[in-house]
Amino acid sequence: MELTEAKHKFIEAWGKLGSEWGINRTMAQIHALLLISPNALTTEEIMETLSISRGNANMTLRDLIGWGLIEKQHRAGERKEYFYADKDTWNIARQVAKERRKRELDPVLKVLEEISKVEGDPKDPEFATFYKSVTDINKLAKNVDKTLDTMLKAEESWFWGSIFKIFK
Amino acid sequence: MELTEAKHKFIEAWGKLGSEWGINRTMAQIHALLLISPNALTTEEIMETLSISRGNANMTLRDLIGWGLIEKQHRAGERKEYFYADKDTWNIARQVAKERRKRELDPVLKVLEEISKVEGDPKDPEFATFYKSVTDINKLAKNVDKTLDTMLKAEESWFWGSIFKIFK
DNA sequence: TTAAACTTTCAGTTATTATTGAAAGTTTAA
DNA sequence: TTAAACTTTCAATAATAACTGAAAGTTTAA
């Protein structure tokens, strides 16, 4: 396997994985590109490498900054903006977990909490089944939420160390 | 909050969450509907409740069976097929984790493994950065994989018990 | 100021994904 | 067999999401 080919495959695979998990392909690909790039890149270079338009590149870079995955870099005497990615995988994982929790898990928890308050006759199977499913899911969601919380605060080694104690 | 409204909100929220995580809205909604339904439902009833076409209902129900989330039920003396969902949230979580691992994580692990074999000059920053990022991600992915493995084998109480030991 | 160098915006277009609906297929009972 | 009751398929269509490109906006240096 040759470096250029390997880079391609990595960007492809990352883009595909992203799109399967609700993150748009271009965002995942730009992120992948910056991850394996030793130096910060300009919008121009990114557009060129991934064959995407200026508009797309610009908007996606801004999204990535919003996700806390990349940052702008300014160079003395240059007008251009350079972009680079945090390369620490643990930070990346945490950042993604943090954002998705905020954007997606939190709202659902709120709805679950709200609809858990539904009132009805416990003898009515319609009510009983609804209530049980919703409260069960609510419990699971809270567990996930707490675990994410630990993860967000944790050092990588400590977190995985703890996880691996599970295996004993 | 009244039961009918609460049901609506649950189906809506579940559908939205699904679509944000790469699971199509209808699939999540049918699953939600069956989850809160005390008895098995026919295609007809599902079509009607969610206002979807027969084709869509049929295909999505088949997908859900493929995900191991629902099952068919036959009733003596009846031609119609009834569908019902496993209501155990822990089973649901495991089933989803299992399928997504198989469909999405496994292929990526394979690619990462493959491109980790890339050869090059460790002094070349292009190579060095690529190699480090890819091997780091590979390690993280393997950790996730192992944790999923534990989860798949675990009893709910045991798994969360272990997780919560993390908090001490 | 001006203009070059750069970034941002967004209406219009394209690509992707999901859905419909009607026809074809299957099963069962008489 | 036939036909009613039901399920499956899939080409056509609709809905949604992503992307383009050009124009407008901004910043900087002379």
Side-chain angles (χ1 to χ4, degrees):
Chain A
M1 167 95 46
E2 178 230 344
L3 186 57
T4 311
E5 189 197 349
K7 282 179 179 176
H8 254 200
K9 288 202 174 173
F10 179 67
I11 291 169
E12 275 306 308
W14 218 233
K16 182 148 177 279
L17 185 67
S19 70
E20 286 165 340
W21 285 81
I23 284 152
N24 104 32
R25 239 176 59 100
T26 301
M27 192 176 339
Q29 288 189 338
I30 293 185
H31 186 230
L33 173 60
L34 291 176
L35 269 183
I36 59 177
S37 184
N39 30 47
L41 303 177
T42 62
T43 302
E44 213 73 37
E45 292 168 313
I46 292 165
M47 286 165 57
E48 172 130 341
T49 311
L50 301 178
S51 308
I52 60 176
S53 72
R54 186 174 302 284
N56 191 7
N58 182 271
M59 288 195 300
T60 305
L61 284 166
R62 230 131 303 280
D63 279 355
L64 279 167
I65 291 171
W67 277 72
L69 294 173
I70 68 171
E71 286 180 40
K72 272 188 199 175
Q73 196 178 73
H74 289 284
R75 293 191 186 171
E78 281 203 61
R79 297 282 298 280
K80 273 198 280 285
E81 293 177 332
Y82 288 77
F83 299 91
Y84 70 98
D86 179 356
K87 308 265 197 306
D88 182 322
T89 36
W90 182 245
N91 283 345
I92 297 165
R94 284 205 304 199
Q95 204 55 40
V96 171
K98 186 178 169 185
E99 286 296 321
R100 298 207 81 158
R101 174 160 87 143
K102 185 174 75 194
R103 293 167 197 223
E104 294 140 22
L105 185 59
D106 284 358
V108 166
L109 274 172
K110 227 176 127 227
V111 172
L112 288 171
E113 208 61 63
E114 189 193 355
I115 62 184
S116 294
K117 288 189 196 125
V118 66
E119 298 201 12
D121 175 7
K123 299 256 178 59
D124 171 14
E126 290 290 331
F127 173 78
T129 307
F130 176 81
Y131 190 75
K132 181 160 193 335
S133 284
V134 168
T135 49
D136 282 357
I137 287 171
N138 201 8
K139 275 178 211 157
L140 176 67
K142 280 178 178 167
N143 277 343
V144 171
D145 197 54
K146 279 188 209 159
T147 304
L148 285 176
D149 217 61
T150 309
M151 178 186 163
L152 291 178
K153 288 173 190 153
E155 287 299 314
E156 175 173 30
S157 56
W158 180 72
F159 184 77
W160 288 114
S162 306
I163 290 279
F164 284 132
K165 275 186 202 136
I166 295 175
F167 299 98
K168 182 143 58 298
Chain B
M1 168 91 48
E2 179 229 342
L3 185 57
T4 310
E5 189 197 348
K7 282 181 180 176
H8 254 202
K9 286 202 177 175
F10 179 66
I11 291 169
E12 273 309 306
W14 218 234
K16 183 148 177 279
L17 186 65
S19 70
E20 286 164 341
W21 286 80
I23 284 150
N24 105 31
R25 237 176 62 100
T26 302
M27 194 178 338
Q29 289 190 337
I30 292 184
H31 186 229
L33 174 60
L34 290 176
L35 268 184
I36 60 176
S37 183
N39 29 49
L41 302 178
T42 62
T43 302
E44 212 74 34
E45 291 169 312
I46 293 166
M47 286 165 57
E48 173 130 340
T49 311
L50 301 178
S51 309
I52 60 175
S53 72
R54 186 174 302 286
N56 192 8
N58 183 272
M59 288 196 299
T60 306
L61 284 165
R62 232 130 301 281
D63 279 356
L64 279 167
I65 291 171
W67 278 73
L69 294 173
I70 68 171
E71 286 179 38
K72 272 188 198 172
Q73 195 178 75
H74 289 284
R75 293 189 185 173
E78 280 203 62
R79 297 280 300 280
K80 273 199 279 285
E81 293 178 332
Y82 288 77
F83 299 91
Y84 71 98
D86 180 356
K87 309 266 197 303
D88 183 322
T89 37
W90 182 245
N91 283 344
I92 297 166
R94 284 205 305 200
Q95 204 55 42
V96 171
K98 186 178 170 185
E99 286 296 322
R100 299 207 81 159
R101 175 160 87 142
K102 186 174 75 195
R103 293 169 196 221
E104 294 141 20
L105 185 57
D106 284 357
V108 166
L109 273 171
K110 226 176 127 229
V111 172
L112 288 171
E113 208 60 63
E114 189 193 354
I115 62 184
S116 294
K117 287 189 197 123
V118 67
E119 298 201 12
D121 176 7
K123 299 254 178 61
D124 170 15
E126 291 289 331
F127 174 79
T129 307
F130 176 82
Y131 190 77
K132 180 156 194 339
S133 283
V134 168
T135 48
D136 282 357
I137 289 171
N138 201 7
K139 274 178 212 158
L140 176 67
K142 280 179 179 167
N143 276 343
V144 172
D145 197 54
K146 278 188 209 160
T147 304
L148 285 176
D149 217 62
T150 309
M151 178 185 164
L152 292 178
K153 287 173 190 153
E155 288 298 315
E156 175 174 27
S157 57
W158 180 73
F159 184 77
W160 288 113
S162 306
I163 290 279
F164 285 133
K165 276 186 203 139
I166 295 176
F167 298 98
K168 182 147 65 307

PDB file of all heavy atoms in Angstrom, chain B residues 132-155:
ATOM      1  N   LYS B 132       0.494   8.218  12.295  1.00  0.00           N
ATOM      2  CA  LYS B 132       0.089   8.391  13.702  1.00  0.00           C
ATOM      3  C   LYS B 132      -1.433   8.519  13.835  1.00  0.00           C
ATOM      4  O   LYS B 132      -2.049   7.845  14.665  1.00  0.00           O
ATOM      5  CB  LYS B 132       0.783   9.609  14.311  1.00  0.00           C
ATOM      6  CG  LYS B 132       0.379   9.828  15.776  1.00  0.00           C
ATOM      7  CD  LYS B 132       1.375  10.598  16.593  1.00  0.00           C
ATOM      8  CE  LYS B 132       1.128  10.511  18.100  1.00  0.00           C
ATOM      9  NZ  LYS B 132      -0.205  10.137  18.525  1.00  0.00           N
ATOM     10  N   SER B 133      -2.024   9.371  13.018  1.00  0.00           N
ATOM     11  CA  SER B 133      -3.470   9.548  13.117  1.00  0.00           C
ATOM     12  C   SER B 133      -4.211   8.239  12.883  1.00  0.00           C
ATOM     13  O   SER B 133      -5.127   7.888  13.626  1.00  0.00           O
ATOM     14  CB  SER B 133      -3.948  10.590  12.106  1.00  0.00           C
ATOM     15  OG  SER B 133      -3.638  11.888  12.569  1.00  0.00           O
ATOM     16  N   VAL B 134      -3.780   7.522  11.853  1.00  0.00           N
ATOM     17  CA  VAL B 134      -4.492   6.288  11.518  1.00  0.00           C
ATOM     18  C   VAL B 134      -4.325   5.235  12.604  1.00  0.00           C
ATOM     19  O   VAL B 134      -5.304   4.591  13.007  1.00  0.00           O
ATOM     20  CB  VAL B 134      -4.038   5.747  10.147  1.00  0.00           C
ATOM     21  CG1 VAL B 134      -4.543   4.331   9.924  1.00  0.00           C
ATOM     22  CG2 VAL B 134      -4.557   6.660   9.041  1.00  0.00           C
ATOM     23  N   THR B 135      -3.133   5.085  13.113  1.00  0.00           N
ATOM     24  CA  THR B 135      -2.957   4.065  14.154  1.00  0.00           C
ATOM     25  C   THR B 135      -3.675   4.479  15.451  1.00  0.00           C
ATOM     26  O   THR B 135      -4.246   3.635  16.126  1.00  0.00           O
ATOM     27  CB  THR B 135      -1.467   3.761  14.436  1.00  0.00           C
ATOM     28  OG1 THR B 135      -0.760   4.988  14.597  1.00  0.00           O
ATOM     29  CG2 THR B 135      -0.837   2.996  13.285  1.00  0.00           C
ATOM     30  N   ASP B 136      -3.676   5.757  15.747  1.00  0.00           N
ATOM     31  CA  ASP B 136      -4.417   6.222  16.936  1.00  0.00           C
ATOM     32  C   ASP B 136      -5.914   5.941  16.806  1.00  0.00           C
ATOM     33  O   ASP B 136      -6.557   5.458  17.741  1.00  0.00           O
ATOM     34  CB  ASP B 136      -4.222   7.727  17.143  1.00  0.00           C
ATOM     35  CG  ASP B 136      -2.870   8.034  17.778  1.00  0.00           C
ATOM     36  OD1 ASP B 136      -2.131   7.072  18.091  1.00  0.00           O
ATOM     37  OD2 ASP B 136      -2.560   9.226  17.958  1.00  0.00           O
ATOM     38  N   ILE B 137      -6.452   6.273  15.652  1.00  0.00           N
ATOM     39  CA  ILE B 137      -7.875   6.028  15.438  1.00  0.00           C
ATOM     40  C   ILE B 137      -8.162   4.539  15.474  1.00  0.00           C
ATOM     41  O   ILE B 137      -9.175   4.091  16.016  1.00  0.00           O
ATOM     42  CB  ILE B 137      -8.337   6.653  14.107  1.00  0.00           C
ATOM     43  CG1 ILE B 137      -8.362   8.171  14.239  1.00  0.00           C
ATOM     44  CG2 ILE B 137      -9.716   6.138  13.705  1.00  0.00           C
ATOM     45  CD1 ILE B 137      -8.588   8.905  12.949  1.00  0.00           C
ATOM     46  N   ASN B 138      -7.249   3.789  14.931  1.00  0.00           N
ATOM     47  CA  ASN B 138      -7.392   2.337  14.947  1.00  0.00           C
ATOM     48  C   ASN B 138      -7.478   1.815  16.384  1.00  0.00           C
ATOM     49  O   ASN B 138      -8.321   0.974  16.705  1.00  0.00           O
ATOM     50  CB  ASN B 138      -6.218   1.695  14.211  1.00  0.00           C
ATOM     51  CG  ASN B 138      -6.524   0.279  13.741  1.00  0.00           C
ATOM     52  OD1 ASN B 138      -7.667  -0.179  13.847  1.00  0.00           O
ATOM     53  ND2 ASN B 138      -5.516  -0.418  13.251  1.00  0.00           N
ATOM     54  N   LYS B 139      -6.635   2.354  17.230  1.00  0.00           N
ATOM     55  CA  LYS B 139      -6.656   1.929  18.636  1.00  0.00           C
ATOM     56  C   LYS B 139      -7.992   2.275  19.288  1.00  0.00           C
ATOM     57  O   LYS B 139      -8.600   1.452  19.972  1.00  0.00           O
ATOM     58  CB  LYS B 139      -5.531   2.633  19.417  1.00  0.00           C
ATOM     59  CG  LYS B 139      -4.198   1.920  19.335  1.00  0.00           C
ATOM     60  CD  LYS B 139      -3.113   2.724  20.093  1.00  0.00           C
ATOM     61  CE  LYS B 139      -1.757   2.537  19.428  1.00  0.00           C
ATOM     62  NZ  LYS B 139      -0.808   3.632  19.731  1.00  0.00           N
ATOM     63  N   LEU B 140      -8.437   3.501  19.054  1.00  0.00           N
ATOM     64  CA  LEU B 140      -9.729   3.919  19.622  1.00  0.00           C
ATOM     65  C   LEU B 140     -10.853   3.018  19.121  1.00  0.00           C
ATOM     66  O   LEU B 140     -11.675   2.530  19.893  1.00  0.00           O
ATOM     67  CB  LEU B 140     -10.019   5.375  19.246  1.00  0.00           C
ATOM     68  CG  LEU B 140     -11.375   5.917  19.702  1.00  0.00           C
ATOM     69  CD1 LEU B 140     -11.435   6.010  21.219  1.00  0.00           C
ATOM     70  CD2 LEU B 140     -11.650   7.289  19.091  1.00  0.00           C
ATOM     71  N   ALA B 141     -10.841   2.769  17.821  1.00  0.00           N
ATOM     72  CA  ALA B 141     -11.894   1.946  17.233  1.00  0.00           C
ATOM     73  C   ALA B 141     -11.885   0.544  17.829  1.00  0.00           C
ATOM     74  O   ALA B 141     -12.942  -0.042  18.087  1.00  0.00           O
ATOM     75  CB  ALA B 141     -11.723   1.884  15.719  1.00  0.00           C
ATOM     76  N   LYS B 142     -10.700   0.042  18.076  1.00  0.00           N
ATOM     77  CA  LYS B 142     -10.613  -1.288  18.686  1.00  0.00           C
ATOM     78  C   LYS B 142     -11.149  -1.276  20.116  1.00  0.00           C
ATOM     79  O   LYS B 142     -11.789  -2.238  20.550  1.00  0.00           O
ATOM     80  CB  LYS B 142      -9.166  -1.785  18.680  1.00  0.00           C
ATOM     81  CG  LYS B 142      -8.728  -2.358  17.339  1.00  0.00           C
ATOM     82  CD  LYS B 142      -7.273  -2.792  17.428  1.00  0.00           C
ATOM     83  CE  LYS B 142      -6.793  -3.407  16.118  1.00  0.00           C
ATOM     84  NZ  LYS B 142      -5.308  -3.529  16.116  1.00  0.00           N
ATOM     85  N   ASN B 143     -10.875  -0.215  20.832  1.00  0.00           N
ATOM     86  CA  ASN B 143     -11.429  -0.087  22.183  1.00  0.00           C
ATOM     87  C   ASN B 143     -12.945  -0.072  22.150  1.00  0.00           C
ATOM     88  O   ASN B 143     -13.607  -0.751  22.929  1.00  0.00           O
ATOM     89  CB  ASN B 143     -10.929   1.202  22.843  1.00  0.00           C
ATOM     90  CG  ASN B 143      -9.570   1.028  23.479  1.00  0.00           C
ATOM     91  OD1 ASN B 143      -9.124  -0.098  23.714  1.00  0.00           O
ATOM     92  ND2 ASN B 143      -8.902   2.130  23.771  1.00  0.00           N
ATOM     93  N   VAL B 144     -13.483   0.706  21.243  1.00  0.00           N
ATOM     94  CA  VAL B 144     -14.938   0.750  21.104  1.00  0.00           C
ATOM     95  C   VAL B 144     -15.465  -0.647  20.784  1.00  0.00           C
ATOM     96  O   VAL B 144     -16.446  -1.114  21.376  1.00  0.00           O
ATOM     97  CB  VAL B 144     -15.345   1.747  20.003  1.00  0.00           C
ATOM     98  CG1 VAL B 144     -16.840   1.653  19.708  1.00  0.00           C
ATOM     99  CG2 VAL B 144     -14.968   3.174  20.407  1.00  0.00           C
ATOM    100  N   ASP B 145     -14.785  -1.294  19.876  1.00  0.00           N
ATOM    101  CA  ASP B 145     -15.187  -2.636  19.460  1.00  0.00           C
ATOM    102  C   ASP B 145     -15.225  -3.604  20.639  1.00  0.00           C
ATOM    103  O   ASP B 145     -16.190  -4.340  20.826  1.00  0.00           O
ATOM    104  CB  ASP B 145     -14.202  -3.134  18.406  1.00  0.00           C
ATOM    105  CG  ASP B 145     -14.756  -4.313  17.628  1.00  0.00           C
ATOM    106  OD1 ASP B 145     -15.862  -4.167  17.085  1.00  0.00           O
ATOM    107  OD2 ASP B 145     -14.098  -5.368  17.589  1.00  0.00           O
ATOM    108  N   LYS B 146     -14.201  -3.561  21.443  1.00  0.00           N
ATOM    109  CA  LYS B 146     -14.139  -4.462  22.604  1.00  0.00           C
ATOM    110  C   LYS B 146     -15.233  -4.141  23.609  1.00  0.00           C
ATOM    111  O   LYS B 146     -15.834  -5.031  24.202  1.00  0.00           O
ATOM    112  CB  LYS B 146     -12.779  -4.323  23.310  1.00  0.00           C
ATOM    113  CG  LYS B 146     -11.678  -5.136  22.663  1.00  0.00           C
ATOM    114  CD  LYS B 146     -10.431  -5.075  23.547  1.00  0.00           C
ATOM    115  CE  LYS B 146      -9.163  -5.213  22.720  1.00  0.00           C
ATOM    116  NZ  LYS B 146      -7.972  -4.698  23.408  1.00  0.00           N
ATOM    117  N   THR B 147     -15.470  -2.841  23.810  1.00  0.00           N
ATOM    118  CA  THR B 147     -16.508  -2.446  24.756  1.00  0.00           C
ATOM    119  C   THR B 147     -17.883  -2.910  24.277  1.00  0.00           C
ATOM    120  O   THR B 147     -18.692  -3.407  25.054  1.00  0.00           O
ATOM    121  CB  THR B 147     -16.498  -0.916  24.943  1.00  0.00           C
ATOM    122  OG1 THR B 147     -15.197  -0.524  25.348  1.00  0.00           O
ATOM    123  CG2 THR B 147     -17.505  -0.493  26.007  1.00  0.00           C
ATOM    124  N   LEU B 148     -18.105  -2.787  22.975  1.00  0.00           N
ATOM    125  CA  LEU B 148     -19.368  -3.267  22.421  1.00  0.00           C
ATOM    126  C   LEU B 148     -19.504  -4.764  22.648  1.00  0.00           C
ATOM    127  O   LEU B 148     -20.575  -5.271  22.969  1.00  0.00           O
ATOM    128  CB  LEU B 148     -19.445  -2.954  20.926  1.00  0.00           C
ATOM    129  CG  LEU B 148     -19.721  -1.499  20.590  1.00  0.00           C
ATOM    130  CD1 LEU B 148     -19.682  -1.289  19.085  1.00  0.00           C
ATOM    131  CD2 LEU B 148     -21.083  -1.064  21.134  1.00  0.00           C
ATOM    132  N   ASP B 149     -18.395  -5.440  22.487  1.00  0.00           N
ATOM    133  CA  ASP B 149     -18.389  -6.875  22.701  1.00  0.00           C
ATOM    134  C   ASP B 149     -18.874  -7.223  24.104  1.00  0.00           C
ATOM    135  O   ASP B 149     -19.725  -8.098  24.284  1.00  0.00           O
ATOM    136  CB  ASP B 149     -16.962  -7.378  22.517  1.00  0.00           C
ATOM    137  CG  ASP B 149     -16.946  -8.718  21.849  1.00  0.00           C
ATOM    138  OD1 ASP B 149     -17.421  -8.782  20.693  1.00  0.00           O
ATOM    139  OD2 ASP B 149     -16.495  -9.682  22.489  1.00  0.00           O
ATOM    140  N   THR B 150     -18.330  -6.517  25.059  1.00  0.00           N
ATOM    141  CA  THR B 150     -18.746  -6.735  26.449  1.00  0.00           C
ATOM    142  C   THR B 150     -20.227  -6.443  26.606  1.00  0.00           C
ATOM    143  O   THR B 150     -20.970  -7.203  27.212  1.00  0.00           O
ATOM    144  CB  THR B 150     -17.996  -5.773  27.390  1.00  0.00           C
ATOM    145  OG1 THR B 150     -16.620  -5.865  27.115  1.00  0.00           O
ATOM    146  CG2 THR B 150     -18.261  -6.141  28.837  1.00  0.00           C
ATOM    147  N   MET B 151     -20.631  -5.343  26.032  1.00  0.00           N
ATOM    148  CA  MET B 151     -22.023  -4.948  26.135  1.00  0.00           C
ATOM    149  C   MET B 151     -22.938  -6.019  25.543  1.00  0.00           C
ATOM    150  O   MET B 151     -23.977  -6.337  26.108  1.00  0.00           O
ATOM    151  CB  MET B 151     -22.215  -3.634  25.380  1.00  0.00           C
ATOM    152  CG  MET B 151     -23.647  -3.158  25.380  1.00  0.00           C
ATOM    153  SD  MET B 151     -23.836  -1.703  24.349  1.00  0.00           S
ATOM    154  CE  MET B 151     -25.629  -1.680  24.152  1.00  0.00           C
ATOM    155  N   LEU B 152     -22.527  -6.566  24.417  1.00  0.00           N
ATOM    156  CA  LEU B 152     -23.377  -7.548  23.752  1.00  0.00           C
ATOM    157  C   LEU B 152     -23.546  -8.809  24.585  1.00  0.00           C
ATOM    158  O   LEU B 152     -24.584  -9.449  24.554  1.00  0.00           O
ATOM    159  CB  LEU B 152     -22.802  -7.899  22.373  1.00  0.00           C
ATOM    160  CG  LEU B 152     -22.861  -6.768  21.353  1.00  0.00           C
ATOM    161  CD1 LEU B 152     -22.236  -7.185  20.040  1.00  0.00           C
ATOM    162  CD2 LEU B 152     -24.308  -6.324  21.129  1.00  0.00           C
ATOM    163  N   LYS B 153     -22.513  -9.114  25.342  1.00  0.00           N
ATOM    164  CA  LYS B 153     -22.591 -10.335  26.149  1.00  0.00           C
ATOM    165  C   LYS B 153     -23.239 -10.081  27.508  1.00  0.00           C
ATOM    166  O   LYS B 153     -23.618 -11.025  28.195  1.00  0.00           O
ATOM    167  CB  LYS B 153     -21.171 -10.885  26.376  1.00  0.00           C
ATOM    168  CG  LYS B 153     -20.564 -11.520  25.127  1.00  0.00           C
ATOM    169  CD  LYS B 153     -19.109 -11.887  25.389  1.00  0.00           C
ATOM    170  CE  LYS B 153     -18.410 -12.299  24.093  1.00  0.00           C
ATOM    171  NZ  LYS B 153     -16.966 -12.038  24.149  1.00  0.00           N
ATOM    172  N   ALA B 154     -23.310  -8.817  27.875  1.00  0.00           N
ATOM    173  CA  ALA B 154     -23.657  -8.498  29.258  1.00  0.00           C
ATOM    174  C   ALA B 154     -25.151  -8.548  29.559  1.00  0.00           C
ATOM    175  O   ALA B 154     -25.996  -8.348  28.690  1.00  0.00           O
ATOM    176  CB  ALA B 154     -23.130  -7.124  29.607  1.00  0.00           C
ATOM    177  N   GLU B 155     -25.425  -8.774  30.808  1.00  0.00           N
ATOM    178  CA  GLU B 155     -26.740  -8.514  31.370  1.00  0.00           C
ATOM    179  C   GLU B 155     -26.796  -7.021  31.660  1.00  0.00           C
ATOM    180  O   GLU B 155     -25.787  -6.440  32.064  1.00  0.00           O
ATOM    181  CB  GLU B 155     -26.878  -9.219  32.724  1.00  0.00           C
ATOM    182  CG  GLU B 155     -27.015 -10.708  32.636  1.00  0.00           C
ATOM    183  CD  GLU B 155     -28.283 -11.083  31.877  1.00  0.00           C
ATOM    184  OE1 GLU B 155     -29.329 -10.480  32.155  1.00  0.00           O
ATOM    185  OE2 GLU B 155     -28.193 -11.954  31.002  1.00  0.00           O
TER     186      GLU B 155
END
